[in-house]
Amino acid sequence: MSAAQRVLLCPTTMGLLLQSLFLLLLFLLGFCLHPAAAFPKGCYPSEEEGLKTFRCSNAQLTEVPKDIPNDTNKLYLDFNQIPFLPRDAFRDLPLLLELDLSHNAIARVESGAFQGLAEHLHSLDLSSNRLVSVSKDTFSNLKAKVNLSNNPWLCDCRLQELIRAVELVADSSEGIVCDSSTQEEHIGKSFLQVIADTDFCNVYKKTTDIAMLVTMFGWFAMVISYLVYYVRQNQEDARRHLEYLKSLPSKQRQSEESSTISTVV
């Protein structure tokens, strides 16, 4: 290779080297500026119908992710293994409109789990989980339509109060079935069908009232028994004392009889 060729090749090689360094710098800047690398495996942001969406469907999650963009409008956490929802689980998502938690292993929802979502959330899917009993206060002030179908519900007063406190998704009520119940004949039936004939809360109130009456009667019987025993015991003591007095000389007997009578009175 001649000296002239080397001179011509050198600027080209330098240019390629500079271009490679520039591309590497851009890559590093993109890595630092975009938080996507922090998302759990299987989760990704997207935009659907003009709404910012974050999908974590079937991502083998065991808890609610903590690095969800706070401008998310639709959040999909379905088909995972999330066992419970802690307090303030979605506190940093003030713009959330839809929340899909279906097909998980959720058995417990702490009070305040949906705190901060009352203003915007209009759809909440908790179907196909392991919910047995949830307090109505869990959904306090929540205006979203809720899907509670396909859970192993315990049909009792607590579930009755919950159903009255939320707005159910249309056609989802038939999927709320009694897996267990305070009355065995209700098992396997739709809860709405059951409460058409049974008021669980009224039955509970009647049972509580009866229990209180039985308790009060028990205490009353104990008091009466004690009073009868006390009177009889005193009468027996007085009788014995009078018999003793009769066996004494008359003067001493009269004095002690007066004392006994005054004592009894």
Side-chain angles (χ1 to χ4, degrees), residues 2 5 18 23 47 60 74 77 97 119 143-144 149 156 175 177 182 198 213 218 244 265:
S2 66
Q5 288 176 325
L18 288 172
L23 290 173
E47 190 165 320
Q60 299 184 348
K74 298 169 72 175
L77 298 173
L97 301 173
E119 188 174 347
K143 300 174 183 176
S149 61
D156 61 359
V177 177
T182 52
T198 305
L213 285 172
Y244 167 74
V265 173

Side-chain angles (χ1 to χ4, degrees), residues 221-241:
M222 287 176 63
V223 170
I224 295 297
S225 299
Y226 176 77
L227 287 174
V228 170
Y229 169 79
Y230 179 79
V231 170
R232 285 181 177 177
Q233 188 68 26
N234 281 329
Q235 284 180 342
E236 185 66 21
D237 289 344
R239 186 182 63 79
R240 288 175 182 173
H241 192 62

Side-chain angles (χ1 to χ4, degrees), residues 15-80:
L16 289 172
L17 181 61
L18 288 172
Q19 186 177 3
S20 299
L21 287 171
F22 180 73
L23 290 173
L24 179 61
L25 181 62
L26 285 177
F27 175 78
L28 290 173
L29 279 172
F31 182 85
C32 294
L33 292 175
H34 295 282
F39 296 153
K41 185 179 179 181
C43 298
Y44 61 91
S46 64
E47 190 165 320
E48 299 177 8
E49 301 176 350
L51 296 174
K52 293 189 176 181
T53 304
F54 193 76
R55 286 191 175 273
C56 287
S57 302
N58 201 18
Q60 299 184 348
L61 297 176
T62 56
E63 63 179 1
V64 177
K66 294 181 173 57
D67 297 312
I68 303 170
N70 57 14
D71 59 350
T72 298
N73 303 126
K74 298 169 72 175
L75 176 59
Y76 293 89
L77 298 173
D78 51 319
F79 290 95
N80 286 289

Side-chain angles (χ1 to χ4, degrees), residues 9 22 87 92 113:
L9 185 60
F22 180 73
R87 182 179 178 83
D92 298 324

Side-chain angles (χ1 to χ4, degrees), residues 91-202:
R91 179 185 57 186
D92 298 324
L93 302 172
L95 302 180
L96 201 60
L97 301 173
E98 296 182 21
L99 176 57
D100 189 347
L101 291 160
S102 63
H103 299 278
N104 273 279
I106 300 170
R108 183 165 59 93
V109 183
E110 290 187 356
S111 179
F114 304 111
Q115 191 169 327
L117 300 182
E119 188 174 347
H120 293 95
L121 192 70
H122 63 67
S123 176
L124 173 61
D125 194 344
L126 283 165
S127 63
S128 301
N129 278 283
R130 298 178 185 172
L131 295 172
V132 175
S133 184
V134 179
S135 169
K136 65 177 181 177
D137 297 333
T138 303
F139 301 92
S140 180
N141 300 320
L142 207 61
K143 300 174 183 176
K145 291 184 178 180
V146 184
N147 189 343
L148 298 172
S149 61
N150 299 321
N151 282 281
W153 290 110
L154 166 63
C155 290
D156 61 359
C157 179
R158 202 177 194 202
L159 180 58
Q160 182 171 315
E161 289 179 337
L162 172 63
I163 297 301
R164 288 174 176 172
V166 301
E167 183 180 357
L168 296 176
V169 172
D171 302 323
S172 70
S173 59
E174 288 301 316
I176 303 174
V177 177
C178 300
D179 187 74
S180 57
S181 175
T182 52
Q183 299 181 38
E184 191 174 347
E185 65 269 20
H186 297 151
I187 296 175
K189 294 182 179 179
S190 165
F191 184 67
L192 291 190
Q193 176 188 348
V194 169
I195 60 173
D197 303 316
T198 305
D199 188 339
F200 285 95
C201 297
N202 192 38

